[in-house]
């Protein structure tokens, strides 16, 4: 067996917490663009600004939470705090009657995600063997996405059954969010001694000198990293410029004739596909390497975005959301496993956070550009841009990693 009871206990608990939180998040996520655009009257450009700021804040925080997680060895505490902030953000969404309160809600929710993600992922990495890390992240991603599927299904039921009552769905979503925070108190954390011993073995094998744990010295230390990790961080940033908010996909479906109820089901198709492919992708990446999975994922992304730009058929739209789920399954957990593989153990959360931060730097202009391209040149424009950029990232992976 590749795990013992304690390892599996941690991974399962972290998966349950993510599952419950995603039940909550995905109950409300597909409704937000329509709540803003149709109920509150904001433009696609303002939607892009709100999402860009919220998602970028989330990712920019990850390097800092990762750094403090490594420095203090308090991964569990930061993870709990992050999930708790997201719970508070969802409460503000329930109270919202203007786009300003929705903006506050999204910022608090994404602030929580920024605080929790790197230490949580480091807990997963600490609780798994290096040769089975893709499997561990794939399992966590599968549980997370199963929660998303359940959340979207519940959103459809409550929104349809409640006569389109946004606030009722927002209130019900608070329940699984609170349960997700509670589960985390049972997670066990590795001792500082064990982490320090692992870091010593890792750095003796891969690094001539131990990188200093100082954010101010990251630029000079960057040159000492594994060259594949350096290249991947740069390529991930380039790809992030293509990766605008998923809410533009939902708005695009609306322009193709789908009503809100059907759009929720489209988003469910995406998440089912995502869940189905996440764990097998992690297992395959342990056997054939992460690189081929990531290249395939970027190519799938390009195909989906070009499809949304040029295909105007509702039948094709269902297929595109399913293929988009394949892209997510091939990349999300695999990227984290890849960064974990190549990072110094005692700085693992920091570099997981650094990866997320570089992605976050790109997320703000990505969503902002998508919103303005849509407003100025029409709905296909942001998807053409995204497809071109993702092909560039795939070529970069082939050539430099």
């Amino acid at each position: 067996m590749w795990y013992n009871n304690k390892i599996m206990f941690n991974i399962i608990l972290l998966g349950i917490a993510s599952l419950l939180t995603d039940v909550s998040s995905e109950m409300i996520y597909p409704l937000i663009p329509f709540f803003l655009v149709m109920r509150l009257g904001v433009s696609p450009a303002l939607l892009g600004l709100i999402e860009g700021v919220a998602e970028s804040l989330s990712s920019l925080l990850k390097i800092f939470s990762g750094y403090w997680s490594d420095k203090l060895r308090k991964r569990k505490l930061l993870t709990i705090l992050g999930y708790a902030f997201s719970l508070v953000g969802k409460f503000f969404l329930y109270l919202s009657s203007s786009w300003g309160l929705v903006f506050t809600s999204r910022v608090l929710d994404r602030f929580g995600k920024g605080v929790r993600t790197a230490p949580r992922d480091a807990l997963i990495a600490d609780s798994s063997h290096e040769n089975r890390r893709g499997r561990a992240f794939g399992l966590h991603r599968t549980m997370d996405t199963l929660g998303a599927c359940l959340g979207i299904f519940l959103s459809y039921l409550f929104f349809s059954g409640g006569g389109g009552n946004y606030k009722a769905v927002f209130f019900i979503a608070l329940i699984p969010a609170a349960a997700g925070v509670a589960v985390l108190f049972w997670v066990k954390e590795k001792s500082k001694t064990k982490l320090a011993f692992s870091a010593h073995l890792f750095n003796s094998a891969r690094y001539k000198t131990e990188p200093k744990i100082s954010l101010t010295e990251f630029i000079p230390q960057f040159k000492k990293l594994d060259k594949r990790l350096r290249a991947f961080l740069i390529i991930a940033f380039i790809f992030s410029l293509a990766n605008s908010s998923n809410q533009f996909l939902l708005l695009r479906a609306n322009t193709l004739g789908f009503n809100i109820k059907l759009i929720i089901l489209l988003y469910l198709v995406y998440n089912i596909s995502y869940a189905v492919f996440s764990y097998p992708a992690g297992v395959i990446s342990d056997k054939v390497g992460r690189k081929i999975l990531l290249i395939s994922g970027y190519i799938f992304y390009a195909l989906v975005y070009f499809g949304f730009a040029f295909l105007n058929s509702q039948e094709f739209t269902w297929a595109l959301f399913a293929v988009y789920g394949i892209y997510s399954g091939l990349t999300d957990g695999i990227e984290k496993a890849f960064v974990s593989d190549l990072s110094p153990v005692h700085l693992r959360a920091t570099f997981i956070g650094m990866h997320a931060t570089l992605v976050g730097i790109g997320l703000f202009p990505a969503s902002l550009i998508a919103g303005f391209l849509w407003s100025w040149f029409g709905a296909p424009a942001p998807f053409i841009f995204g497809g071109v950029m993702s092909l560039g990232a795939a070529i970069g992976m082939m050539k430099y990693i």
Side-chain angles (χ1 to χ4, degrees):
M1 299 294 285
W2 66 275
Y3 53 82
N4 59 37
N5 289 337
K6 184 178 288 187
I7 287 173
M8 200 60 183
F9 183 73
N10 256 14
I11 293 173
I12 292 295
L13 280 177
L14 290 165
I16 291 172
S18 289
L19 184 152
L20 290 168
T21 301
D22 254 35
V23 168
S24 172
S25 296
E26 300 302 335
M27 282 181 68
I28 62 179
Y29 185 82
L31 298 178
I32 289 174
F34 306 105
F35 183 66
L36 282 167
V37 174
M38 296 181 178
R39 179 64 63 86
L40 301 181
V42 309
S43 67
L46 183 54
L47 172 64
L49 177 64
I50 292 170
E51 285 300 300
V53 170
E55 293 291 350
S56 292
L57 174 64
S58 168
S59 295
L60 288 168
L61 284 170
K62 289 173 185 175
I63 187 171
F64 296 101
S65 67
Y67 166 75
W68 284 106
S69 168
D70 285 328
K71 188 176 180 66
L72 302 175
R73 303 293 185 219
K74 297 292 184 183
R75 310 202 194 285
K76 176 179 173 179
L77 175 62
L78 289 171
T79 302
I80 291 172
L81 287 174
Y83 279 99
F85 268 107
S86 290
L87 171 61
V88 173
K90 292 178 176 69
F91 182 70
F92 270 86
L93 182 63
Y94 169 68
L95 297 178
S96 63
S97 57
S98 66
W99 72 263
L101 279 176
V102 177
F103 176 71
T104 301
S105 165
R106 292 294 291 155
V107 167
L108 286 170
D109 180 70
R110 296 298 88 182
F111 180 89
K113 185 174 179 62
V115 169
R116 73 179 181 252
T117 299
R120 182 204 63 203
D121 290 344
L123 278 170
I124 296 170
D126 292 343
S127 301
S128 58
H129 190 277
E130 184 175 358
N131 294 333
R132 297 292 185 268
R133 193 162 291 139
R135 190 173 305 190
F137 277 103
L139 176 60
H140 179 267
R141 176 46 51 192
T142 296
M143 294 182 71
D144 185 290
T145 311
L146 285 173
C149 294
L150 179 58
I152 296 162
F153 179 67
L154 291 174
S155 177
Y156 176 79
L157 289 181
F158 290 128
F159 188 76
S160 301
N165 189 331
Y166 291 96
K167 289 298 186 74
V169 179
F170 296 163
F171 178 77
I172 296 169
L174 293 171
I175 299 171
V181 175
V183 165
L184 291 166
F185 287 91
W186 280 273
V187 170
K188 303 297 181 184
E189 194 166 13
K190 262 191 177 182
S191 69
K192 294 181 180 181
T193 302
K194 290 181 179 179
L195 284 173
F197 179 69
S198 299
H200 171 73
L201 292 178
F202 184 94
N203 288 305
S204 297
R206 184 168 291 170
Y207 291 88
K208 294 181 180 179
T209 60
E210 182 177 305
K212 296 179 180 179
I213 185 165
S214 171
L215 286 175
T216 61
E217 295 174 348
F218 260 20
I219 293 177
Q221 291 295 334
F222 192 74
K223 295 180 179 179
K224 298 180 182 180
L225 297 177
D226 185 296
K227 65 179 182 180
R228 290 179 299 161
L229 179 57
R230 293 201 311 266
F232 178 66
L233 290 173
I234 293 169
I235 291 166
F237 171 72
I238 293 171
F239 175 72
S240 71
L241 295 173
N243 196 10
S244 57
S245 171
N246 287 344
Q247 293 188 0
F248 288 102
L249 299 178
L250 305 180
L251 282 180
R252 177 60 171 151
N254 184 244
T255 68
L256 297 174
F258 288 88
N259 61 33
I260 297 177
K261 295 177 185 178
L262 286 177
I263 289 170
I264 294 173
L265 294 181
L266 280 172
Y267 196 54
L268 177 60
V269 167
Y270 156 68
N271 277 278
I272 290 173
S273 176
Y274 189 177
V276 167
F277 282 93
S278 291
Y279 183 68
V283 173
I284 293 170
S285 78
D286 287 332
K287 296 179 179 179
V288 305
R290 321 287 187 210
K291 176 179 174 179
I292 189 170
L293 275 297
L294 292 173
I295 291 171
S296 300
Y298 292 159
I299 292 172
F300 274 116
Y301 185 96
L303 292 175
V304 168
Y305 264 52
F306 285 134
F308 275 108
F310 299 116
L311 298 177
N312 295 314
S313 164
Q314 289 196 357
E315 290 75 15
F316 276 117
T317 303
W318 290 99
L320 288 173
F321 271 91
V323 175
Y324 191 56
I326 298 175
Y327 143 74
S328 295
L330 292 176
T331 56
D332 197 346
I334 308 302
E335 287 180 334
K336 295 173 182 178
F338 192 55
V339 173
S340 297
D341 291 343
L342 301 177
S343 299
V345 172
H346 71 298
L347 294 177
R348 179 175 283 152
T350 305
F351 282 101
I352 291 173
M354 175 180 276
H355 166 255
T357 293
L358 288 172
V359 170
I361 292 171
L363 280 175
F364 176 70
S367 290
L368 195 61
I369 289 169
F372 280 108
L373 285 175
W374 185 308
S375 296
W376 292 343
F377 302 107
F383 299 102
I384 296 171
F385 175 77
V388 171
M389 293 296 291
S390 59
L391 284 180
I395 293 169
M397 286 287 294
M398 293 178 195
K399 186 172 181 179
Y400 297 109
I401 296 181

